[in-house]
C-alpha cells in the first residue's frame, strides 16, 4: 500500500447506512484524502449531506448518479427473468400504470415486483404496497394458506411481525443496520421470528467469529420501522413528522 498505492482500490459501499461519527476517524481521513493518498477510492451512497460534505474535501475524478432502469432496461430484465407469457402480461401492466412503471426503474424493486407477480399475480403501485405484498407472501409461506390482507394474517403471526417491526424501528433510531446476537437477544426476538426470513445473517468481518444479522435491504428496515411507528403513534402532524425525521438524523 505504501510503495504502490496506485494499485489499491478501496470500495466503501453504502456509506450512508452507518453514522460517519461511528465509522472511525481513519475512514473519515481516507474519504477526505488525508490518509492512504494515491489509492483509488470508490464510494457508494444514497444522497447524504454528511457523505457529500466529507467527500467534498477530496478531489474525485468522477461523480456518478445511478438513475436506474430506462424503459428498454425494464423490458430486457423482465423478459430475462420471466417466461414469455408472464413477461408479456407484466409489461402490459407496466405500460398502462405510470406508478408501477416508475417503481420498476429501481433495479432492486424491479426484481421484487417480478418475483411477486410470479408468486401471486399482484402488482404494487408504491414502495409501501410492494413491501405490504412481500409481508403477505412471507405470512402465506409461514401459515400455509393464501392471504389477501394484513387482517387475514393469523394474530400470533401478526404479533411476531410487529415485534420485528419494533426491532427495525429501534435499530433505525440507533442508526444500526447490522445487529449482533446480543441485539437480537436483548430485544427478545425468537427463533420463529428469525425463521421468517426478514432478517438475514451476514458476515461483516471474516476474522470475527461472532454472528451478525441485517434486514434484507435498508428499504425493508425503513418500511418495517414505519409500520411499527404508524401502529403505536397517533396520526402524524407536520410538526411531529419533522421531529421524527430529526430523531432519525435526516436532513
Amino acid at each position: 500500500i505504501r510503495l504502490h498505492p496506485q494499485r489499491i482500490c478501496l470500495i466503501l459501499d453504502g456509506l450512508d447506512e452507518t453514522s460517519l461519527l461511528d465509522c472511525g476517524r481513519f475512514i473519515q481521513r481516507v474519504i477526505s484524502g488525508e490518509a492512504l493518498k494515491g489509492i483509488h477510492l470508490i464510494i457508494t451512497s444514497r444522497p447524504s449531506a454528511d457523505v457529500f460534505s466529507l467527500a467534498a474535501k477530496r478531489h474525485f475524478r468522477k461523480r456518478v448518479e445511478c438513475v436506474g432502469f430506462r424503459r428498454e432496461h425494464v423490458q430486457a430484465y423482465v423478459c430475462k427473468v420471466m417466461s414469455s407469457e408472464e413477461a408479456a402480461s407484466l409489461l402490459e401492466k407496466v405500460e398502462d400504470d405510470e406508478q408501477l412503471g416508475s417503481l420498476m426503474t429501481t433495479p432492486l424493486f424491479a426484481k421484487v415486483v417480478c418475483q411477486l407477480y410470479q408468486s401471486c399475480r399482484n402488482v404494487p403501485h408504491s414502495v409501501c404496497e410492494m413491501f405490504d405484498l412481500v409481508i403477505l407472501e412471507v405470512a402465506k409461506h409461514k401459515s400455509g394458506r393464501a392471504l389477501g390482507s394484513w387482517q387475514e394474517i393469523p394474530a400470533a403471526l401478526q404479533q411476531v411481525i410487529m415485534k420485528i417491526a419494533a426491532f427495525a424501528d429501534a435499530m433505525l433510531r440507533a442508526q444500526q443496520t447490522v445487529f449482533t446476537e446480543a441485539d437480537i437477544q436483548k430485544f427478545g426476538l425468537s427463533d420463529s421470528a428469525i425463521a421468517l426470513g426478514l432478517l438475514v445473517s451476514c458476515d461483516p468481518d471474516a476474522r470475527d467469529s461472532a454472528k451478525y444479522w441485517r434486514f434484507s435491504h435498508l428499504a425493508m428496515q425503513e418500511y418495517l420501522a414505519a409500520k411499527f411507528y404508524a401502529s403505536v403513534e397517533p396520526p402524524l402532524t407536520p410538526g411531529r413528522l419533522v421531529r421524527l425525521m430529526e430523531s432519525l438524523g435526516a436532513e
Side-chain angles (χ1 to χ4, degrees):
I1 294 176
R2 290 178 178 176
L3 296 178
H4 304 285
Q6 72 280 3
R7 298 174 62 181
I8 303 299
C9 179
L10 177 63
I11 301 175
L12 301 177
D13 185 29
L15 195 61
D16 60 293
E17 296 182 15
T18 185
S19 169
L20 287 179
L21 296 176
D22 297 332
C23 71
R25 173 60 182 160
F26 178 71
I27 293 298
Q28 294 185 46
R29 292 179 61 224
V30 171
I31 297 172
S32 64
E34 299 174 29
L36 298 185
K37 294 182 179 180
I39 69 166
H40 299 282
L41 178 63
I42 299 175
I43 295 174
T44 70
S45 171
R46 291 180 179 183
S48 164
D50 287 340
V51 173
F52 288 161
S53 63
L54 193 57
K57 299 179 182 179
R58 181 191 187 105
H59 173 66
F60 282 86
R61 288 184 294 177
K62 184 175 292 187
R63 295 172 185 263
V64 179
E65 179 184 359
C66 180
V67 296
F69 282 163
R70 295 195 295 269
R71 178 180 177 183
E72 60 269 26
H73 298 147
V74 172
Q75 292 177 339
Y77 178 77
V78 171
C79 291
K80 181 178 180 179
V81 302
M82 306 179 78
S83 69
S84 57
E85 182 179 344
E86 289 175 328
S89 177
L90 178 57
L91 288 173
E92 183 179 353
K93 294 181 181 297
V94 172
E95 287 292 325
D96 294 339
D97 190 325
E98 183 177 346
Q99 289 178 303
L100 176 60
S102 176
L103 197 63
M104 294 289 283
T105 61
T106 301
L108 172 67
F109 296 165
K111 177 180 179 180
V112 175
V113 169
C114 288
Q115 291 175 337
L116 287 170
Y117 194 67
Q118 287 176 312
S119 177
C120 63
R121 287 297 186 269
N122 285 328
V123 292
H125 305 284
S126 67
V127 175
C128 185
E129 282 188 19
M130 181 182 71
F131 284 122
D132 282 342
L133 289 173
V134 169
I135 293 297
L136 285 178
E137 284 298 293
V138 169
K140 180 182 76 174
H141 287 291
K142 181 67 175 178
S143 63
R145 59 187 177 90
L147 301 166
S149 67
W150 170 263
Q151 287 72 24
E152 295 179 20
I153 298 176
L157 186 51
Q158 284 189 25
Q159 292 177 0
V160 173
I161 293 172
M162 291 310 297
K163 184 77 171 180
I164 298 173
F167 177 73
D169 176 70
M171 294 297 99
L172 196 63
R173 290 174 185 274
Q175 296 186 315
Q176 280 186 247
T177 56
V178 176
F179 327 117
T180 64
E181 284 285 332
D183 294 325
I184 299 289
Q185 293 170 2
K186 181 179 179 180
F187 215 82
L189 292 182
S190 63
D191 291 341
S192 61
I194 300 298
L196 287 180
L198 298 176
L199 284 162
V200 296
S201 61
C202 62
D203 185 14
D205 188 346
R207 298 168 298 179
D208 190 347
S209 60
K211 195 168 186 179
Y212 295 89
W213 301 86
R214 62 177 175 81
F215 286 94
S216 54
H217 193 273
L218 177 59
M220 171 60 83
Q221 183 178 353
E222 292 169 337
Y223 161 82
L224 287 168
K227 190 173 186 67
F228 170 76
Y229 191 82
S231 72
V232 298
E233 296 289 342
L236 283 174
T237 62
R240 290 191 62 248
L241 179 59
V242 169
R243 289 192 294 273
L244 171 63
M245 297 303 291
E246 288 176 345
S247 73
L248 296 176
E251 294 294 327

